[in-house]
Amino acid sequence: MNITFHGAAQSVTGSCFLVEAHGCRFLIDCGMAQGGREADEHNQKAFAFDAARIDFVVLTHAHIDHSGLLPKLAARGFKGPIYTTSATRDLLDVLLKDSAHIQQIEAERYAKRHHDRKSDKDAYQAQPLYTLAHVARAMELVQAKPYGKQFEPHPSVRLCFQDAGHILGSAIAEIWLADGQGGTKKLVASGDLGQPGRVILRDPTPIAQADVLLIESTYGDRLHRNTEDTLDELVEVVTRTVPHGNVVIPAFAVGRTQELLYHFVQLIQQGRLPNVEIFVDSPMAVAATEITLKHFAVFDEEAKQLLASARQLKESPHIHFISDVEESIKLNRIRNGAVIISASGMCDAGRVLHHLHNNLSRPECAVLICGFQARGSLGRRLVDGVKQVRMFGEEVEVRASVHTLGGFSAHADQKALLDWAAAFAKPPAQTFVVHGEEDAAQTLARELRQQLHFNVSVPELGQTMEI
């Protein structure tokens, strides 16, 4: 068995792992890199493998950094099945269409700004990575499978999805591969693991056995703040800000937005927050919320509370779901009293850019960052305390207060990752730490060695490991 790490190696985004074993070649994820120019250049490069020779794809969940290059893969000749869960299939249709739409807008904007340049690089960047037609082609290849039931995607492979507790439909992949000697080797890919004890989704499923493990490490070097302290800070920032300004929350449309709304409803019911005007300005988030309700069966024991909250959300005069562009533009006129939740979560595209453009320079406003920000992204620069950013061709002073609410992360922190890994009956023969920046990955690898006696490696981008 060979595994080549074509993405998410000493970085958080662009998850893509090529597995080759006994006449079978498949990908685990095919994600888009996120976080500035370097990520864009990575996405524009040709695949380092022949897409037409890939037998199938195992997709762990719908987030674009795991799924975003599937249409490009289909456009380059891949015709095999894409296996994932039912909820991921539904979310994928929404997210990939939104991705294609954003790329088209960005390409047109780039072409307009650089219309007098003739270099090959400029001509290439003026083209989207893929179109809605490519998305449709990729979606035709998606096959949904339930949690907990084995199936055979190839004569020499068995596959089973288990709940990863990260976002709706997220999965851990258990993969049994023929070893050529009449036996099998078991590969487990964690995908992105959720933080245990969070609202809405179930905790990540413990796995008892693996010969080879791929484990994520997004927060492999830190612990999350507890939920109660996080909610206290949310209440303090919102209460202090809305009398004079607005609160802008860049949030991933899938998972994070629904969790934030759940907490806002609870806090208002408890009297800890006034009836502030909350605007969910993201067509994708609106669609994702509907899909979330459709897949009610995968929720945890707090699902009844979620359903009650969801009904109240639709009935509440203080919470507004916005899809129309004109309605979104009208939000620019609001000077105070608004909480605006909008995508993208890393502030690199989408409607949130317009809300940041209109509110960042106002010291009476606040920005709440509640998810991981990849190196190079606008969100990461704001978290790092930059005083000025360039948006829509002009320099914008950062005078609004910027707050990081780590307790809302959908990723497992270091303790949760180690606890999940400790469930193996014995250490896997080989463990590869992926999907984390170098410091986080190396820190988690060290803890896995010291605490659990794992044989651990942190692969580099493009590296092939023979097993």
Side-chain angles (χ1 to χ4, degrees):
M1 181 196 311
N2 288 339
I3 303 177
T4 305
F5 299 85
H6 290 293
Q10 300 185 26
S11 64
V12 171
T13 63
S15 180
C16 185
F17 313 117
L18 172 63
V19 181
E20 300 171 278
H22 301 289
C24 179
R25 304 174 85 242
F26 64 92
L27 294 180
I28 300 173
D29 292 339
C30 190
M32 186 180 290
Q34 297 172 306
R37 181 174 298 178
E38 193 173 303
D40 292 340
E41 290 174 355
H42 174 88
N43 295 328
Q44 290 163 359
K45 288 179 182 176
F47 289 119
F49 49 83
D50 184 352
R53 293 184 58 218
I54 300 298
D55 293 304
F56 60 91
V57 175
V58 178
L59 178 61
T60 61
H61 65 285
H63 274 157
I64 288 298
D65 62 326
H66 290 254
S67 70
L69 293 187
L70 287 172
K72 178 181 173 181
L73 190 73
R76 298 297 184 272
F78 171 71
K79 297 180 180 178
I82 300 169
Y83 295 108
T84 193
T85 65
S86 177
T88 295
R89 177 190 58 194
D90 291 348
L91 290 172
L92 192 63
D93 187 51
V94 175
L95 267 67
L96 291 181
K97 286 177 180 176
D98 184 75
S99 175
H101 177 67
I102 288 174
Q103 287 175 56
Q104 184 66 45
I105 292 173
E106 293 296 323
E108 291 171 357
R109 187 177 293 152
Y110 187 93
K112 187 178 295 184
R113 288 200 308 264
H114 301 276
H115 62 89
D116 56 338
R117 300 184 186 179
K118 303 299 182 183
S119 75
D120 291 339
K121 180 179 178 181
D122 290 321
Y124 191 59
Q125 289 182 334
Q127 299 296 321
L129 285 171
Y130 49 80
T131 67
L132 287 171
H134 295 133
V135 171
R137 188 183 306 173
M139 288 304 303
E140 290 175 354
L141 304 175
V142 177
Q143 295 187 26
K145 299 294 182 179
Y147 287 128
K149 291 189 177 181
Q150 293 186 22
F151 62 97
E152 292 189 358
H154 185 274
S156 64
V157 180
R158 285 182 290 126
L159 174 60
C160 185
F161 291 121
Q162 303 290 353
D163 197 337
H166 171 60
I167 64 167
L168 185 71
S170 61
I172 300 160
E174 295 184 284
I175 307 169
W176 292 265
L177 301 159
D179 63 6
Q181 300 175 349
T184 60
K185 294 293 184 183
K186 184 181 179 185
L187 167 65
V188 171
S190 73
D192 285 354
L193 296 171
Q195 181 74 358
R198 301 296 300 276
V199 299
I200 302 177
L201 296 177
R202 294 191 288 250
D203 291 350
T205 304
I207 306 297
Q209 188 272 332
D211 297 299
V212 182
L213 171 64
L214 306 182
I215 185 171
E216 72 120 317
S217 58
T218 307
Y219 288 99
D221 59 349
R222 72 199 84 168
L223 302 177
H224 294 324
R225 196 175 185 184
N226 66 59
T227 301
E228 194 54 47
D229 288 346
T230 301
L231 293 177
D232 287 344
E233 184 174 2
L234 174 66
V235 168
E236 191 277 326
V237 172
V238 172
T239 303
R240 169 168 47 85
T241 303
V242 293
H244 310 288
N246 299 320
V247 177
V248 179
I249 307 180
F252 296 100
V254 177
R256 191 63 39 75
T257 293
Q258 291 76 34
E259 184 179 1
L260 283 167
L261 291 175
Y262 175 93
H263 285 301
F264 269 111
V265 167
Q266 278 199 327
L267 292 169
I268 291 172
Q269 287 177 341
Q270 294 166 2
R272 296 178 63 187
L273 277 179
N275 285 323
V276 294
E277 297 296 315
I278 301 170
F279 299 90
V280 181
D281 186 22
S282 167
M284 186 165 58
V286 175
T289 301
E290 293 296 330
I291 292 171
T292 298
L293 295 178
K294 173 184 173 183
H295 291 276
F296 191 72
V298 303
F299 298 160
D300 63 11
E301 292 304 314
E302 294 180 272
K304 291 182 180 179
Q305 294 181 30
L306 172 68
L307 181 59
S309 298
R311 287 172 176 160
Q312 291 166 23
L313 290 177
K314 291 188 174 183
E315 297 169 0
S316 171
H318 301 287
I319 300 178
H320 315 275
F321 293 90
I322 295 176
S323 295
D324 184 74
V325 173
E326 293 302 318
E327 291 298 315
S328 176
I329 293 172
K330 288 180 182 178
L331 297 182
N332 296 333
R333 304 172 193 164
I334 300 175
R335 305 303 290 171
N336 67 288
V339 173
I340 302 171
I341 303 173
S342 187
S344 71
M346 294 188 194
C347 311
D348 271 344
R351 293 183 180 182
V352 74
L353 288 176
H354 297 277
H355 301 307
L356 290 172
H357 186 257
N358 282 284
N359 291 279
L360 269 179
S361 62
R362 302 175 58 212
E364 64 272 26
C365 294
V367 178
L368 289 179
I369 303 291
C370 54
F372 185 84
Q373 305 299 307
R375 186 175 293 148
S377 65
L378 173 58
R380 179 66 164 265
R381 298 201 300 275
L382 292 174
V383 168
D384 289 344
V386 69
K387 300 301 180 185
Q388 190 178 68
V389 296
R390 188 167 184 82
M391 303 183 74
F392 303 117
E394 64 180 71
E395 298 298 325
V396 177
E397 298 290 333
V398 180
R399 299 191 183 96
S401 60
V402 179
H403 309 264
T404 302
L405 301 183
F408 283 131
S409 176
H411 285 270
D413 65 7
Q414 184 191 82
K415 181 180 184 303
L417 289 168
L418 291 171
D419 287 347
W420 182 79
F424 287 97
K426 65 178 183 178
Q430 289 183 270
T431 294
F432 300 104
V433 178
V434 296
H435 212 281
E437 292 179 357
E438 184 175 3
D439 288 348
Q442 294 289 0
T443 299
L444 182 64
R446 184 183 68 243
E447 296 301 317
L448 286 167
R449 289 189 199 102
Q450 293 179 354
Q451 295 191 36
L452 302 178
H453 310 294
F454 277 30
N455 177 25
V456 188
S457 299
V458 180
E460 297 178 359
L461 185 64
Q463 186 173 5
T464 297
M465 295 291 193
E466 185 176 352
I467 300 162

